[in-house]
Amino acid sequence: MSLQDKLDAERAGRLVIEAGRAAYEETVDTLSRNGFMSGILTEGVRFPDFMLPNSEGRLVSLSGLLARGPVIVQFFRGEWCPYCRLMLDALVIALPDIEALGATLIALTPDTGLAAHHAKINHSAAFDVLSDIDSGVGLAAGVVFRLPPLYKAGLITVGLDIPGRHGNNAWFLPIPAVFLLDRDGRVAWRYAKVDFTYRAEPERILAALRNMTAPG
């Protein structure tokens, strides 16, 4: 079963609840109509450099990672998100193939502290999970949005403390975007979709990486 097959099954089970379906549709419709996608970094553009804490509290810089080879930057909402959990599991499986091609995978979340740490340990992830403090990198990359009213209300209703997890009251979340960066830090390939129930299949990421690293 592919990652998207699992995501589709998850979505089908969750959207039978009317309130959840309305919040989902509001979010996707809003981002589809307001030109959000036009603000996302495109291929050939240099990705903003950063230095962020990983889930163990160690600072990680993009420039330091690029010195070793290509970098895959995966944005995700948080381990609280069932679609993100499926995605993280798929990336854990794909990691050996990514590293065999000389690339480094990192996952950026607006979650901080223990919330980010749980995303790593709950999935036995060997890649770094970085806290995108105040969504600074996500905002610079154009992948962050402020939650629409229905979705925000829904998260509050189920007791999800987004301000506590993020360390701010902005109520920002990223779309699940992926950027493949060459050694110069430029975007060689990207995946971006406003519907958070869709994710880049690991094989698509690997295919883009193989294409970028192929001789000649």
Side-chain angles (χ1 to χ4, degrees), residues 13-126:
R14 289 181 174 274
L15 296 189
V16 295
I17 302 171
E18 184 175 352
R21 184 172 64 253
Y24 161 78
E25 292 174 349
E26 176 196 48
T27 301
V28 174
D29 289 347
T30 298
L31 296 179
S32 298
R33 290 186 285 102
N34 68 4
F36 178 83
M37 290 290 291
S38 65
I40 300 174
L41 293 183
T42 56
E43 293 181 8
V45 174
R46 193 178 299 278
F47 198 86
D49 196 11
F50 59 77
M51 182 175 288
L52 297 172
N54 68 6
S55 56
E56 290 81 33
R58 179 174 56 87
L59 290 175
V60 176
S61 71
L62 177 59
S63 58
L65 297 177
L66 289 170
R68 306 204 307 252
V71 175
I72 297 167
V73 180
Q74 170 75 68
F75 286 91
F76 73 105
R77 290 140 46 100
E79 213 264 340
W80 57 268
C81 166
Y83 307 101
C84 295
R85 292 195 294 268
L86 291 169
M87 178 205 75
L88 289 169
D89 286 339
L91 290 175
V92 166
I93 294 171
L95 183 62
D97 291 331
I98 291 171
E99 293 181 335
L101 290 167
T104 299
L105 169 65
I106 53 175
L108 272 62
T109 174
D111 278 353
T112 59
L114 284 176
H117 186 59
H118 289 157
K120 182 176 177 71
I121 63 174
N122 288 350
H123 298 271
S124 301

Side-chain angles (χ1 to χ4, degrees), residues 101-158:
L101 290 167
T104 299
L105 169 65
I106 53 175
L108 272 62
T109 174
D111 278 353
T112 59
L114 284 176
H117 186 59
H118 289 157
K120 182 176 177 71
I121 63 174
N122 288 350
H123 298 271
S124 301
F127 50 83
D128 270 327
V129 174
L130 306 182
S131 292
D132 185 13
I133 305 299
D134 293 336
S135 297
V137 178
L139 287 166
V143 300
V144 167
F145 65 97
R146 193 183 302 277
L147 287 183
L150 287 180
Y151 203 87
K152 177 180 176 180
L155 295 184
I156 293 172
T157 297
V158 299

